[in-house]
Amino acid sequence: MSTLIHGGTLVTGEGTAPVECGALIMAGGRIEAVLDHWAPGQHYDGDIIDASGCVIMPGLVNSHCHGVTPGPLFPSAARALSEEAWLGNLDRHLLAGTTTVLSLCGLATMEQVREADKRHAVNVRGATTHLPSAISAAQIADGAGLSGREEGIGVEQMLSEGAVAIGELGGGQTLGGGGQDLVYLPAAIGRRTGVRVSQDEARRLKEAVLGRFVDATHYDFEEFAQAAREARLADVIDLHDLAELIRSTVTPSVTPAIEGIRQGVHAAARLGVPAIVHSASATAAVLRELMVDPRARGAKVVAAHVNHTSHTPTEARELAALGREHGWAGEASAFDLLDRRHTVKTREHWDLLLAEAGLVQIIGTDYGHHGQHDRLIAAVQDIAERGHRSLQDAVAMATSSVADLIPGIAPERGTLRRGLVADVVVADARDFRRVRDVFVGGERVVAEGQLAAGARR
Ligand SMILES: [Zn+2]
């Protein structure tokens, strides 16, 4: 059984110029041939897909995902998503042309990662943060998804069982970031006062007490009193009690979470695997420290979401440039800054970092509100159309560059080349979000924009 795709703009993922009216032949789950021309009407003995008006590229490799496996969710090890929810997240990745995901929740077991991999056409890979301090940060911030076995597992065991990276080291939930604003802080304030504050109100209250760098000496009382009034809290709780509630909710997990980042990068240097670290205002100091730490020397470090909006744009640029000097790689996350704009409402950081050469090597999605992040393939088109990269280089940022940077994530994938595994995407050339067909290992798992029978297994 073989399939011919012809007539579209073919982008191999390796950074070579796109081929107009290129063609691709798949057989036995592999790419059999990549052709720079196929005469329409020429006889072919097998399935034929006319991709006129489309772009043909390798299945995308997304190195920054959450909520794609059973097991503890996020670095705070929150209660696992339901099976329908994590399968639904994988469906959305696949429908958007992503054929390989790396789960950065970090505390799932490899058994749980393999379960997700087996149940869905998307290739699901695992990473590990089974480090003493990262586990205690999770236990303090949440930990409802922990089984009690995590302390006994360890990074070495996870790597020997197939984890491909150490990460995500740190996260907004354990570091007083967005996860606190969205979930834990509104819950704690609600329990104490009966008032439900929004994510924006929670962030404003938190920053009035602890600043953007989670610093107990910050406390801006005037701003805090104003924020409390506007959040309808001033009459229901004493302001000093409210400040104390915010401190005691946000800060206890921060110190162990920062120590967990150190432990993870040291382990990466020792064990020769990539470390993926959470870049945000709360981690800027420890990342700067690790760039010159002798125990971190030689570690391959990927700074995740270098465009995180807890940094000012200037801070984000400076930290990424310092990382570049020290040989760190940068990943930019689309979050929902392109289309949805529910959690990230500015694209200033994204454009600033992508405009400068060498600050961003790869792109991912991270996790939008309830998993509703923008599509990685939309980010590829955005980067090309804004002129930050050529189309071929934008595609490489979500395919071959990811496979090169994190060697275990997508071996024999990420490039359209003879002999490699046939993970292929066909999308509307005018709007990449309209993904038409997706093949994983040569099997058509999205057909005409709909999940095919083989998508869930
Ligand atoms: Zn993160």
Side-chain angles (χ1 to χ4, degrees), residues 64 168 278 305 366:
H64 197 146
E168 181 179 5
H278 174 89
H305 46 60
D366 202 349

Side-chain angles (χ1 to χ4, degrees), residues 64 66 75 168-172 277-279 304-305 308 335 366:
H64 197 146
H66 296 281
E168 181 179 5
L169 293 166
V277 298
H278 174 89
S279 170
H305 46 60
H308 202 275
F335 301 112
D366 202 349

Side-chain angles (χ1 to χ4, degrees), residues 28-373:
R30 299 264 164 176
I31 295 166
E32 195 171 84
V34 180
L35 309 165
D36 48 18
H37 185 68
W38 182 268
Q42 195 177 332
H43 177 75
Y44 180 75
D45 202 11
D47 286 344
I48 302 178
I49 294 200
D50 182 348
S52 303
C54 292
V55 57
I56 306 162
M57 64 177 93
L60 303 186
V61 182
N62 188 343
S63 67
H64 197 146
C65 298
H66 296 281
V68 289
T69 71
L73 182 67
F74 300 131
S76 56
R79 195 176 306 287
L81 291 178
S82 69
E83 182 175 294
E84 194 46 42
W86 62 258
L87 282 169
N89 284 338
L90 287 171
D91 287 346
R92 275 199 296 279
H93 281 297
L94 190 63
L95 285 165
T98 295
T99 52
T100 299
V101 297
L102 175 58
S103 166
L104 286 192
C105 286
L107 287 169
T109 63
M110 281 312 292
E111 205 170 69
Q112 289 163 331
V113 171
R114 267 193 294 274
E115 166 75 5
D117 188 44
K118 196 172 72 195
R119 298 281 306 282
H120 206 280
V122 171
N123 306 300
V124 183
R125 306 288 180 243
T128 169
T129 54
H130 294 81
L131 302 146
S133 291
I135 292 169
S136 55
Q139 284 164 334
I140 295 166
D142 189 326
L146 295 173
S147 68
R149 289 190 301 139
E150 286 74 11
E151 290 97 328
I153 294 178
V155 160
E156 283 88 345
Q157 184 185 337
M158 284 289 292
L159 294 170
S160 76
E161 291 178 5
V164 301
I166 297 174
E168 181 179 5
L169 293 166
Q173 302 80 13
T174 52
L175 286 161
Q180 282 287 349
D181 308 336
L182 182 63
V183 182
Y184 300 117
L185 206 46
I189 293 171
R191 273 195 304 272
R192 177 74 72 86
T193 64
V195 175
R196 185 78 203 167
V197 300
S198 71
Q199 181 180 6
D200 288 343
E201 288 167 337
R203 176 182 297 123
R204 187 175 167 202
L205 289 162
K206 180 193 76 186
E207 291 189 353
V209 178
L210 294 163
R212 287 192 304 113
F213 299 95
V214 197
D215 166 12
T217 65
H218 171 87
Y219 202 22
D220 178 345
F221 183 76
E222 262 174 50
E223 160 65 7
F224 179 58
Q226 176 83 8
R229 260 195 308 279
E230 288 177 26
R232 308 163 311 282
L233 291 165
D235 298 332
V236 294
I237 181 170
D238 177 83
L239 286 185
H240 293 289
D241 291 346
L242 178 60
E244 195 42 44
L245 176 67
I246 291 168
R247 280 189 208 102
S248 65
T249 303
V250 173
T251 54
S253 60
V254 172
T255 302
I258 296 283
E259 185 54 27
I261 297 174
R262 291 192 187 97
Q263 289 170 356
V265 174
H266 293 162
R270 210 171 54 238
L271 300 167
V273 289
I276 300 172
V277 298
H278 174 89
S279 170
S281 58
T283 61
V286 71
L287 298 189
R288 284 169 187 267
E289 170 201 310
L290 284 164
M291 286 173 196
V292 294
D293 178 351
R295 290 174 66 191
R297 191 169 299 140
K300 185 197 268 190
V301 183
V302 181
H305 46 60
V306 287
N307 57 317
H308 202 275
T309 51
S310 63
H311 300 296
T312 64
T314 310
E315 286 166 1
R317 200 223 140 256
E318 281 175 3
L319 188 62
L322 199 62
R324 177 179 58 190
E325 250 174 62
H326 289 92
W328 288 22
E331 172 253 309
S333 286
F335 301 112
D336 57 2
L337 68 90
L338 302 170
D339 295 323
R340 258 185 123 251
R341 301 197 158 203
H342 181 95
T343 45
V344 179
K345 301 176 176 83
T346 171
R347 47 177 298 140
E348 203 183 339
H349 304 64
W350 172 262
D351 286 319
L352 182 71
L353 290 163
L354 283 163
E356 187 172 334
L359 296 184
V360 178
Q361 281 70 37
I362 60 172
I363 53 172
T365 54
D366 202 349
Y367 198 68
H369 190 46
H370 296 302
Q372 301 289 334
H373 36 74

